[in-house]
Amino acid sequence: MGETAATAGTAATAKKRVTLRDVAQAAGVSLKTASNVINGNGRMSGETRARVEQVIKDLGYRVNVAARNLNRDHTGFITLAVPSLTAPYLAELANRIIDAARSHDYLVYVTTYAEGSAKGARDLLRNFNSTVSDGMILSMSEVEDITPEDLAVDFPLVVVGARTTWGVADHVTPDDTAAAATAAGYLYDHGSRRLAVVGARGDYDEAALLKAEEGNAQLRLRGFIEETHRRGMAVDPRLIGDTGQDWTIGSGARVTQRLIDSGVPFDGVVALNDQLAIGAIASLRANAIDIPGQVQVIGFDNIEEAEYLQIPLTTMDSRLEWTAPTAVERILGRIRGDISQPELLTTRAEVIPRASTRSERSTR
């Protein structure tokens, strides 16, 4: 019985939560000094700070995040709003945003909105509740009818993706135009001369596309056109496959089949996302067209499936490993008040070469 009681006592001691007061007493400092060390502020010697940090480590003290955020007048939550979680890119974006926020002791509410409807992004912006969330990261759909006034909100807001923010809100996005130019250039460098595109959204209007300032499809088409022109070639409008808003595997397969059936020759496909590229590969193979011997294929976003296809897909890096932490750091900077002026933050994507393109550069 004595042994059992002693064991129970030890367990009770082990379960006792270490408090900030325990840390202060063990380190021989005031409660205020211990709190300043936890929060990374206050004036003290390096020796004192190091001593408190060592005590925190030795005692296994864990910060009460909810209480700390309450003291700072913050909720400890941010909101991520996306049009859908069905698309692999958006699902991966959500996962990476959650991971990045967690590393800063923040949690994420993920919500979806009905694209282009009364319950779309505008409704979310108008009805944002600052009592449950400190700010919003918004992935804005291309079909949302958003104005600069909609983005002029009184809470921290960061927009990710290819829609413009008119300089009103922070905007974090890879450079889609440069990425598409790189993709087209890669196919040209590896021997293709007549490129098709799968993923246009509407009729081909080259003059308008060359002035595009937003939209994944528009910016990627702009980059494709610019690179083709830089090579001294013209774009054949008959090889621009219109998928509308449907960027699924099935849409990619159907549009590629239409391109094949048209009889207009092509020897490369720039698919504007990886799902479209997977569909393109399916149709090319169904028509006994050799990949990459007769037709090379490149996609965008580097979704997980791309590497494991029967013919692994060459693709443009999504740069989500940059986008997610950059967006989180930006929103937290706004929440803390460290950032006041909106900014466009962008980066370039690189080719991830696989078997759907040729391994050697053309000497032509």
Side-chain angles (χ1 to χ4, degrees):
M1 288 291 292
E3 183 177 347
T4 302
T7 303
T10 301
T13 301
K15 290 180 181 178
K16 180 178 179 293
R17 182 181 180 90
V18 177
T19 67
L20 186 60
R21 190 174 299 279
D22 295 330
V23 171
Q25 289 176 348
V29 299
S30 69
L31 197 62
K32 176 65 174 176
T33 297
S35 177
N36 284 339
V37 172
I38 293 295
N39 292 306
N41 53 33
R43 289 187 175 184
M44 69 193 74
S45 69
E47 180 184 351
T48 298
R49 188 178 297 277
R51 185 169 73 252
V52 175
E53 289 173 345
Q54 187 60 48
V55 169
I56 290 169
K57 182 178 179 181
D58 292 344
L59 296 182
Y61 175 73
R62 296 174 66 87
V63 179
N64 186 330
V65 176
R68 184 177 70 179
N69 287 328
L70 185 62
N71 289 335
R72 293 176 174 179
D73 197 28
H74 295 157
T75 67
F77 285 84
I78 56 177
T79 297
L80 171 64
V82 295
S84 165
L85 288 172
T86 302
Y89 174 87
L90 292 173
E92 182 66 13
L93 172 68
N95 285 331
R96 287 181 179 268
I97 290 284
I98 291 167
D99 289 343
R102 186 182 293 125
S103 72
H104 292 279
D105 291 331
Y106 256 79
L107 299 176
V108 180
Y109 291 123
V110 180
T111 185
T112 61
Y113 56 88
E115 297 177 78
S117 75
K119 292 297 180 182
R122 179 181 285 134
D123 186 65
L124 280 179
L125 291 166
R126 288 175 175 171
N127 295 296
F128 179 79
N129 187 346
S130 60
T131 65
V132 297
S133 177
D134 295 329
M136 179 187 292
I137 298 174
L138 171 64
S139 175
M140 199 175 357
S141 163
E142 294 187 27
V143 300
E144 288 298 300
D145 183 20
I146 293 290
T147 68
E149 290 73 24
D150 294 319
L151 299 181
V153 295
D154 60 359
F155 57 86
L157 173 67
V158 172
V159 176
V160 298
R163 292 293 302 272
T164 184
T165 65
W166 300 278
V168 174
D170 286 314
H171 188 192
V172 177
T173 180
D175 188 333
D176 269 324
T177 303
T182 299
Y186 189 84
L187 296 191
Y188 287 134
D189 285 343
H190 288 76
S192 291
R193 290 296 174 267
R194 291 184 56 82
L195 297 185
V197 172
V198 175
R201 289 175 168 166
D203 294 336
Y204 182 70
D205 183 340
E206 187 166 292
L209 288 167
L210 285 171
K211 297 177 183 177
E213 295 183 351
E214 65 174 350
N216 290 120
Q218 293 88 338
L219 293 176
R220 290 174 184 177
L221 272 167
R222 175 182 167 182
F224 168 80
I225 296 165
E226 289 176 348
E227 183 62 25
T228 300
H229 288 179
R230 274 194 290 269
R231 304 278 176 144
M233 294 179 282
V235 174
D236 188 338
R238 297 173 298 173
L239 292 177
I240 305 300
D242 180 7
T243 60
Q245 299 298 324
D246 186 359
W247 274 18
T248 61
I249 293 173
S251 178
R254 289 188 295 273
V255 170
T256 302
Q257 186 61 55
R258 287 205 297 268
L259 291 172
I260 295 168
D261 292 342
S262 74
V264 180
F266 60 92
D267 56 9
V269 172
V270 176
L272 299 189
N273 78 354
D274 284 347
Q275 290 176 288
L276 293 171
I278 292 170
I281 287 174
S283 285
L284 290 167
R285 296 194 71 205
N287 287 270
I289 296 172
D290 180 61
I291 304 168
Q294 292 174 272
V295 176
Q296 300 185 89
V297 180
I298 192 168
F300 284 79
D301 298 339
N302 191 32
I303 65 174
E304 183 180 8
E305 295 85 347
E307 185 177 1
Y308 302 102
L309 301 173
Q310 204 163 26
I311 301 176
L313 174 65
T314 295
T315 184
M316 298 302 298
D317 186 1
S318 67
R319 297 309 314 273
L320 281 173
E321 84 289 348
W322 171 85
T323 301
T326 300
V328 168
E329 288 164 10
R330 193 73 184 177
I331 196 75
L332 295 182
R334 283 206 165 269
I335 291 168
R336 293 190 302 265
D338 299 338
I339 301 169
S340 59
Q341 294 302 314
E343 190 175 348
L344 170 63
L345 303 173
T346 189
T347 189
R348 294 180 72 93
E350 300 296 331
V351 175
I352 300 175
R354 298 193 181 107
S356 67
T357 54
R358 298 170 199 141
S359 58
E360 296 183 3
R361 291 172 67 94
S362 172
T363 57
R364 285 188 286 175

